[in-house]
Each structure stands twice: as C-alpha cells, then as structure tokens.
Amino acid sequence: TIKSGIVKHPSSIAGWDTTTSISADEESIIMSRCRACCLPRGLEVYLREPIFFGGFALSLLYLNILSFGAIMTAYLVWRGMSYESIGILRGISSVIGLLGTVAYHISSKRHSLSYIGSWSISFQFTCLTICFASLYVIDDALSLFMLIFGVIASRIGLYVFDLSITQFMQLLIPEDIRGVTGGVQKSLNGFFDLTTYGLGLIFSNPDDFYILVATGYVSVGLAMCIYFWGIHHYKDALQNV
C-alpha cells in the first residue's frame, strides 16, 4: 500500500525490513509521465515498483538470438554442421544452463541478490563478447568454436540472472499487485522474443547473421547497464535484499 510517499512491501521473512522509500515527488513524476503517455494501468503499476529496472533488463535478454533456437540452428546448418551435432550441443547447453541453478544456490549463501545479479549479467555479457568476436576470426573452425563456446557458457549467467530477478520480485513486490507486474513482465519478454523473429525475417540471408548477433550483443550490454544503474539508484530500497 502507498501512504505518504512510502511503499510498504510485506515479507514473510522475519526480521527483514522491506519498506522501500520512494519519495512522493518521484512517485508523482512517474505517474504523471505514465498518464501523459497514456500508458496502461498495469504498466503504471509495474513502473512504480523499485525493481522494475531489473525486470526490464531481464526482458532485454529475450532480444538475444545467441541460443540454440530456430534462427541459430538454421545458421549452424548453413555453416555445415549436421543436425545430430547441433542436437548434442543443444543438450550440452541445457545441462550447462542447469548448472546455473547450482551456481545461484551457492552464491545466494554468500552474497546479496544485487551482487548475484551483477556478476551473472556481467558473465553473460563476457561470454557473448566471445561470440561477437568470433565474427571477425578468419579461421572458420576457430570462429565456429568461439561462437558455440560463448553461447553454451552464457547460459550460466542467463539462468542465474533470471533467478535473481525472479527472487527480487517475490521479495519486493506486494502480493496484491504481483500478478499485475508478472503479467507485464511476461508481455515484455514475449515482445522482445517476438522481435527476434521479426529481425530474422528482415535479415534472413545467412550473410546478415552478424546483424542479429550484434543486436543481441548490444541488448545484453544495455540490460547490464540498466541493471547497474538500477542497483545504484535504488540502493536504499535494495539494501536488505
């Protein structure tokens, strides 16, 4: 509930003070901008939460095509890989991704959620840097190895960051609006995911694959910047998490 510019977030964890201070001026500015832009009510509620930056950063990751999805599979086939090899690599990628849940469990015992989100998004961006650099490697075998290695390794960062943002939302968003914010989050994820297929239609030539890689790389970099800005700007609200 909102009273006198203070948003109180109930928590089931005893001893935690999850009251986050959002000034009345900040709330008024956000609401006025939402009304001026004719934003839907659900989006207004979403933007009013101090963790919205993390959710938006997470949704930007869906703009990345560097996974063993349909677009990258088609590209790998064009590069000469067999479907059997791609299937094996997809299985390895899934297993490596599950290791992210283990990494999250270990990290959560030692560090705050803010720190976990920071290292995971940074790790993913570093792995995708390898993928991006592979586009400029002349040796075909080495280029393909760098691309596949970067994609598989990046799954750890993706899984950990997803879990950390989900945990943030469960702890900081009140139960009575959790469904609304969750619906907006799913919509943003779906929008950026759909955008990748639109880009795939526009840049359908395999020679233009570098454009799709660059788009995903930039989107993850932008997500990392937004997240770092958010944990600094809302550090008072996140200090107990």
Side-chain angles (χ1 to χ4, degrees):
T1 57
I2 301 175
K3 295 181 179 180
S4 303
I6 300 295
V7 181
K8 296 185 177 180
H9 300 297
S11 173
S12 59
I13 303 178
W16 277 31
D17 180 11
T18 54
T19 300
T20 60
S21 57
I22 299 178
S23 68
D25 291 338
E26 287 180 330
E27 180 186 343
S28 177
I29 291 173
I30 293 174
M31 294 299 292
S32 63
R33 288 177 179 175
C34 290
R35 296 189 188 99
C37 297
C38 300
L39 294 180
R41 173 63 180 171
L43 192 55
E44 290 184 23
V45 174
Y46 180 84
L47 294 176
R48 202 165 57 227
E49 293 304 306
I51 193 55
F52 81 90
F53 69 89
F56 187 71
L58 177 63
S59 66
L60 282 174
L61 302 187
Y62 283 79
L63 193 56
N64 175 35
I65 57 92
L66 290 172
S67 64
F68 286 96
I71 295 177
M72 184 169 170
T73 297
Y75 176 74
L76 293 177
V77 171
W78 180 76
R79 289 283 296 264
M81 291 191 66
S82 64
Y83 287 107
E84 291 79 8
S85 299
I86 296 174
I88 293 173
L89 290 173
R90 180 177 291 180
I92 295 174
S93 177
S94 299
V95 172
I96 295 298
L98 289 176
L99 291 178
T101 61
V102 178
Y104 173 83
H105 178 71
I106 296 174
S107 189
S108 63
K109 293 181 178 180
R110 303 177 181 179
H111 306 289
S112 65
L113 279 176
S114 298
Y115 179 82
I116 295 173
S118 297
W119 79 252
S120 58
I121 189 67
S122 299
F123 181 81
Q124 184 182 10
F125 184 73
T126 301
C127 293
L128 296 184
T129 300
I130 299 175
C131 298
F132 186 73
S134 71
L135 300 175
Y136 301 95
V137 176
I138 298 177
D139 185 89
D140 189 67
L142 179 58
S143 173
L144 196 58
F145 173 79
M146 290 174 62
L147 176 64
I148 294 173
F149 174 80
V151 170
I152 291 177
S154 70
R155 310 306 289 177
I156 295 177
L158 174 63
Y159 274 56
V160 174
F161 187 72
D162 191 340
L163 288 171
S164 63
I165 297 301
T166 300
Q167 188 69 8
F168 260 132
M169 290 185 167
Q170 290 179 347
L171 293 174
L172 296 178
I173 298 178
E175 293 183 5
D176 57 337
I177 62 170
R178 199 171 290 167
V180 175
T181 54
V184 174
Q185 184 64 49
K186 287 291 186 182
S187 298
L188 290 173
N189 296 349
F191 170 76
F192 286 114
D193 188 35
L194 182 62
T195 301
T196 62
Y197 291 98
L199 292 173
L201 289 173
I202 297 172
F203 303 104
S204 57
N205 191 326
D207 290 328
D208 294 331
F209 185 72
Y210 72 94
I211 298 177
L212 302 178
V213 174
T215 301
Y217 181 64
V218 171
S219 68
V220 175
L222 180 60
M224 182 175 64
C225 293
I226 291 175
Y227 180 80
F228 285 153
W229 168 83
I231 60 176
H232 174 73
H233 187 73
Y234 294 101
K235 59 183 177 181
D236 292 336
L238 306 177
Q239 61 182 351
N240 293 322
V241 183

